[in-house]
Structure formats: C-alpha cells, structure tokens
Amino acid sequence: MTDIVKRNARAILLDGDALVLIKRTKPGREPYWVSVGGGVEEDDATIEAALHREVFEELGGKLAHAELVHLITDELESGVGVQHIFAARLESMDLAVRTGTEFSKPERGGYEVVRVPFTSEAVRELNLMPPKLADFIAANTDAIVSVLDTPIREA
C-alpha cells in the first residue's frame, strides 16, 4: 500500500455564473491560475473543514455549499498526493480579512483574485493548474452546476 503523504482541498468555486480563481504571477514565469485551496493540516477536523479554512485564508470568504466531485492523484517521491476537489458556491468574500501567510511574502509573487465566466471555453483559455483540474472543469461545467443546484435532502 502506498502512503498518502500530502492531501489538499481545492474548490471549483462559483460566485453566481463566474468561476473564482487566483491568478498567480511570479518573476520569470508566465502567469497561471489556480483554484482556491491548499494543504490539509493536522488540526483540520475533516478535509472539507480544511477547504473552509483555506477559503477564509485566501479570500476572507465563506462557502454556502460544497460537494466533493473529483480526486486528483500525483505520485510524489515518498508516496502519493491527493487533491480533493469540491464544487462550491461562495456565500461571501472580504479580501481585507484574508489571513494566508503567502500575502505577506512578496517573493512568492502576486495573488490576484479573478472571476472568469464558468464555461468550458473560458476555462480552456486559461493556464489553469494543474492541467488535470482544467480538463475536469472544462468537461463537466454543466454537471458541476447541477450538483450545486440540486437541493440537499435531509435523511
């Protein structure tokens, strides 16, 4: 059995009809886009709790609804990395209260919050990382919206 050495929680984050992403700019590299999210920490109660924490750290945001929709695995030197991909709706955002440590480190480059139309065409035009995530989103925009728009029934 392979050890899982790194877990991440990421959001395909919708705000109305727009996809919320972070545009990364670093000296000497072409700009690229990433979804909101990051590593699961030891004190996160669940992977979804890690997602909520990351959304707050990176956007000062709160989620209205999140559903696990995809997993991306990567082979790492000492095991496997698993990215848990959630479809989520943004309830609120206040960039003035975001707390991520990356924002106080200019050497890490720029982190610009951007909204792009949530269409296959718009996603394919971006240099969205990782490419596996870009492919999944572009192939499943209707399904992702359907998952988020389906009412949750209590058992």
Side-chain angles (χ1 to χ4, degrees):
M1 182 173 186
T2 303
D3 289 336
I4 295 176
V5 296
K6 185 174 182 183
R7 288 186 183 274
N8 283 300
R10 300 210 151 276
I12 301 168
L13 186 57
L14 299 184
D15 186 14
D17 293 333
L19 176 63
V20 178
L21 297 169
I22 296 175
K23 181 179 179 183
R24 294 296 322 276
T25 51
K26 294 180 178 182
R29 182 173 179 180
E30 287 293 315
Y32 63 97
W33 288 256
V34 295
S35 60
V36 175
V40 176
E41 297 176 359
E42 262 187 48
D43 56 347
D44 290 322
T46 64
I47 295 164
E48 187 175 339
L51 178 69
H52 287 268
R53 177 185 49 74
E54 287 287 342
V55 168
F56 185 77
E57 287 178 2
E58 294 181 5
L59 302 176
K62 292 183 182 180
L63 300 178
H65 181 198
E67 292 282 338
L68 181 65
V69 294
H70 191 54
L71 296 174
I72 296 174
T73 58
D74 298 296
E75 289 191 28
L76 306 173
E77 282 185 24
S78 55
V80 128
V82 179
Q83 295 191 53
H84 301 260
I85 309 299
F86 290 82
R89 287 226 181 258
L90 187 64
E91 180 177 301
S92 65
M93 177 173 68
D94 181 356
L95 296 179
V97 299
R98 62 186 180 174
T99 62
T101 57
E102 59 269 26
F103 307 115
S104 62
K105 297 179 179 178
E107 68 274 10
R108 295 204 49 194
Y111 291 81
E112 178 187 355
V113 177
V114 296
R115 287 178 174 79
V116 298
F118 190 59
T119 65
S120 297
E121 298 77 23
V123 170
R124 285 188 180 106
E125 290 177 8
L126 300 173
N127 184 16
L128 179 61
M129 295 292 162
K132 289 179 187 177
L133 178 58
D135 293 343
F136 174 77
I137 294 171
N140 292 286
T141 54
D142 291 340
I144 292 164
V145 169
S146 176
V147 164
L148 290 174
D149 288 349
T150 301
I152 300 171
R153 292 197 174 124
E154 298 296 325

